[in-house]
Amino acid sequence: MQNSFEADSIRKSFGNKQVLTDIYLSCKTGDIIGLLGRNGSGKSTLLKILYGTLYTDFKHISVNGEYMKQPFKEEGIVSFLCQDNFLPKNLTVKKVIQLFDYSVNESEFFNDDILSKVYNTKIGNLSGGESRYLEVKLILGLDTQFVFLDEPFNGMSPIHIDIIKDLIRQKSSKKGIVLTDHDYRNVLDIANKYMILFDGGIKVLKSKEDFIYWGYLPEEKQ
């Protein structure tokens, strides 16, 4: 079954500053949507609104045709990786995985070559990349129809990034995924659809010329 997440008429202001204006976004099972845009363009703001934790008067979100005011409150609909680290620093990796075991497949973690080396290490003693790697795996492992990933590759080594990219591709067979990252090259590499936020609006990038125009690909020499 192909699930569908649709958001329309999203507007958001902070004081007198209009950040988002009449945003429309559609995500379906199999989509890996790369959300591009400069710092401050509203990418994180949009993901929080889609998830349902950031309030705005202007939005319409539906999942499989059913209106949802706050999608995160509905079981099995959406999971969200925020920019900031969220795992308790005083717990070990093994304990954190066990706390998630009601909704993730433990074998994906205990058979992981990277995590197996740090099972008994407290989260606070992990490197930034190791901590982020675990967080992304946990969020992708949740049994939800859609996943929003905000800066998933932050602090990771190239090896970790490649593993997570493969995992995202694998999970997209059953999920719709929207992601953004400060290193746009990782976004370009993993996504199969692309959108850019600019001046409060959103534009779908479809052609090579679009990517050149917005500065994500170099102009071809004559």
Side-chain angles (χ1 to χ4, degrees), residues 24-43:
Y24 173 81
L25 183 146
S26 176
C27 181
K28 297 181 180 180
T29 305
D31 286 344
I32 305 175
I33 296 176
L35 186 61
L36 303 168
R38 291 181 293 184
N39 290 341
S41 61
K43 300 187 297 296

Side-chain angles (χ1 to χ4, degrees), residues 80-130:
F80 176 52
L81 177 81
C82 58
Q83 279 191 17
D84 301 321
N85 297 120
F86 63 88
L87 298 177
K89 296 184 182 300
N90 63 318
L91 298 183
T92 64
V93 170
K94 183 176 181 179
K95 185 61 177 179
V96 167
I97 294 170
Q98 289 173 336
L99 290 173
F100 271 76
D101 71 0
Y102 67 92
S103 55
V104 300
N105 183 351
E106 280 196 20
S107 65
E108 292 187 14
F109 297 86
F110 291 118
N111 294 328
D112 185 294
D113 290 339
I114 294 172
L115 296 178
S116 63
K117 301 173 183 177
V118 292
Y119 283 149
N120 296 314
T121 303
K122 289 186 176 181
I123 299 298
N125 293 329
L126 296 177
S127 69
E130 289 170 336

Side-chain angles (χ1 to χ4, degrees), residues 13-106:
S13 297
F14 293 103
N16 294 324
K17 182 179 180 181
Q18 187 82 24
V19 179
L20 301 173
T21 305
D22 293 329
I23 298 295
Y24 173 81
L25 183 146
S26 176
C27 181
K28 297 181 180 180
T29 305
D31 286 344
I32 305 175
I33 296 176
L35 186 61
L36 303 168
R38 291 181 293 184
N39 290 341
S41 61
K43 300 187 297 296
S44 295
T45 296
L46 176 58
L47 292 183
K48 291 174 185 177
I49 292 172
L50 297 178
Y51 186 55
T53 51
L54 182 60
Y55 177 78
T56 179
D57 284 325
F58 305 99
K59 70 174 182 181
H60 186 278
I61 295 175
S62 61
V63 178
N64 298 327
E66 180 181 351
Y67 172 75
M68 290 188 181
K69 187 174 183 179
Q70 293 179 296
F72 78 95
K73 290 186 175 180
E74 306 294 330
E75 184 176 357
I77 298 299
V78 64
S79 50
F80 176 52
L81 177 81
C82 58
Q83 279 191 17
D84 301 321
N85 297 120
F86 63 88
L87 298 177
K89 296 184 182 300
N90 63 318
L91 298 183
T92 64
V93 170
K94 183 176 181 179
K95 185 61 177 179
V96 167
I97 294 170
Q98 289 173 336
L99 290 173
F100 271 76
D101 71 0
Y102 67 92
S103 55
V104 300
N105 183 351
E106 280 196 20

Side-chain angles (χ1 to χ4, degrees), residues 164-193:
I164 290 299
K165 284 179 181 178
D166 286 340
L167 184 60
I168 290 173
R169 293 185 183 101
Q170 174 191 334
K171 294 295 184 179
S172 70
S173 65
K174 295 182 179 179
K175 300 173 182 283
I177 298 172
V178 182
L179 67 94
T180 184
D181 198 87
H182 70 277
D183 189 340
Y184 70 87
R185 290 165 295 187
N186 287 321
V187 177
L188 296 181
D189 184 47
I190 188 66
N192 55 31
K193 293 185 178 180

